Amino acid sequence: QAGTAAGDAAAPASADDSSGQPGFSYAIGAIRFTGDSRLRFTDAALQPSIVHTAVIEKLAIGTLDSNNSSALTPLELALKLYDHGSLCLTGEITPLQAASAISGTLDADINDIELTDLSPYLEQAIGYHANSGQLNISSRATLDNGQLDSSTELRVLRIDLAPANPALIAKASQKLAMPVETALMAITDSNNTLKLTIPVSGDLANPDIGIERIISSALTQATKNAALTYFKYAVQPFGAIMMVSQTIGDMHLQARFEDVRFVPGEANIVPEQSAYLAKVAAMIGEKKQLSVLVCVMVTDRDFQAMGYPPGSDYPWDARSETLARQRLNLIRSTLINGHGLSADQVQSCKPALDKGQPRAIMGI
């Protein structure tokens, strides 16, 4: 259904362009939509197709003058989206200029959009289906001669996603340099609220860089940076996390922390790491869905400290097995009994022989 448009238009005046041919010019004082104006958009790019609905509560566009295309035109838009969501857009831009010259500022706020309404797009992008979640977006954008510079605050309440397409999940995980699930755990708080700041910039006139690609790339990078920042600072001052896809023994690591280092031949952690396990426990305890993996390595330095004769090949015997078990028990008891993690949050792999610093590999 179409609403009514009201405004003032000035009749075009004859003008000669540089070629000597008569030119066409126009000026519109204002454009306003009133009444119960509705929009219905069907996106047939997805199968099955998706229908989006909106009610235009307000649309006001200021002066448009073809003889002064560099003049800023005020813009105000208020939409009711779906059942209870809303979009408010205000600002001023130069809409009559080419993409390479367009300038202005825009503020946009989108509130109370149920993530289930956008679930097909999530499935297409990252392979996850939305069981629940409420989307809120606040964006501030500046356009300067076709160059976009913006910052968007994204907040999703009560987010709950379920795997839907393993192939797309693997592809998205590769872009993130970590599993999608791990990244989401890192940037979601204890109330299942996801908060993300997304800086977006790009050249709108570049035909090879569409706005969808710009936003997709920015969202991926923002998610990756936020997850890495969380992990990096959660265990400080004991080193940054390394995002890997690594199999150790019979277990798979998604991300690896700094190793727990032991005194050679003993089940004691080196003094400089005395507070390390407390940091790990605090991080895992905050993210209840995560669990830590512990893989103990008994090395040649252990055998030498225990009085074995020098040699390149040391046996896996009762003494080395006992030492490995003591070290694992120390880590498990510290994390579970000392810092309150549940038993299922601390997992272990089969101990192994190695060279160098005696240690336990730690990761998620």
Side-chain angles (χ1 to χ4, degrees), residues 3-49:
T4 60
D8 301 315
S14 268
D16 291 338
D17 61 19
S18 59
S19 65
Q21 297 297 322
F24 173 78
S25 63
Y26 61 90
I28 300 175
I31 298 175
R32 293 184 298 273
F33 276 78
T34 59
D36 188 15
S37 303
R38 299 177 180 270
L39 296 174
R40 180 183 174 91
F41 170 67
T42 300
D43 189 349
L46 295 177
Q47 293 298 325
S49 60

Side-chain angles (χ1 to χ4, degrees), residues 257-281:
F257 308 149
E258 181 177 312
D259 295 342
V260 179
R261 303 192 302 277
F262 289 95
V263 177
E266 301 177 15
N268 297 317
I269 297 173
V270 297
E272 57 268 28
Q273 281 191 322
S274 59
Y276 180 36
L277 292 181
K279 287 282 189 176
V280 172

Side-chain angles (χ1 to χ4, degrees), residues 58-205:
K58 183 176 185 178
L59 174 58
I61 302 173
T63 301
L64 297 169
D65 186 348
S66 63
N67 288 321
N68 190 13
S69 62
S70 62
L72 291 168
T73 297
L75 170 67
E76 187 174 359
L77 173 65
L79 298 179
K80 179 181 177 182
L81 301 176
Y82 306 107
D83 295 323
H84 304 289
S86 65
L87 179 150
C88 293
L89 177 69
T90 60
E92 50 184 12
I93 60 172
T94 56
L96 301 183
Q97 290 190 315
S100 60
I102 192 169
S103 298
T105 59
L106 290 172
D107 292 346
D109 292 287
I110 299 174
N111 292 303
D112 306 326
I113 304 298
E114 295 303 317
L115 208 59
T116 51
D117 290 325
L118 305 178
S119 185
Y121 296 101
L122 284 175
E123 293 181 34
Q124 185 183 61
I126 62 174
Y128 279 84
H129 170 79
N131 292 326
S132 68
Q134 189 182 81
L135 176 66
N136 299 273
I137 295 174
S138 180
S139 183
R140 306 292 176 260
T142 300
L143 291 160
D144 185 9
N145 290 318
Q147 299 297 315
L148 171 66
D149 185 13
S150 72
S151 179
T152 298
E153 301 289 335
L154 181 147
R155 186 166 61 103
V156 186
L157 307 177
R158 301 182 306 278
I159 185 171
D160 180 16
L161 303 181
N165 188 322
L168 280 179
I169 292 173
K171 185 177 180 181
S173 297
Q174 187 175 23
K175 290 182 179 179
L176 288 169
M178 71 187 81
V180 172
E181 187 175 6
T182 301
L184 290 175
M185 287 180 186
I187 61 178
T188 304
D189 66 18
S190 58
N191 295 318
N192 282 344
T193 296
L194 184 154
K195 297 179 181 179
L196 201 59
T197 300
I198 309 169
V200 177
S201 60
D203 184 357
L204 298 184

Side-chain angles (χ1 to χ4, degrees), residues 234-286:
V235 294
Q236 287 300 310
F238 297 101
I241 193 171
M242 295 178 291
M243 303 311 299
V244 296
S245 181
Q246 181 180 6
T247 299
I248 299 176
D250 56 354
M251 302 291 284
H252 185 74
L253 274 181
Q254 300 173 352
R256 182 172 173 174
F257 308 149
E258 181 177 312
D259 295 342
V260 179
R261 303 192 302 277
F262 289 95
V263 177
E266 301 177 15
N268 297 317
I269 297 173
V270 297
E272 57 268 28
Q273 281 191 322
S274 59
Y276 180 36
L277 292 181
K279 287 282 189 176
V280 172
M283 178 178 62
I284 300 300
E286 187 176 288

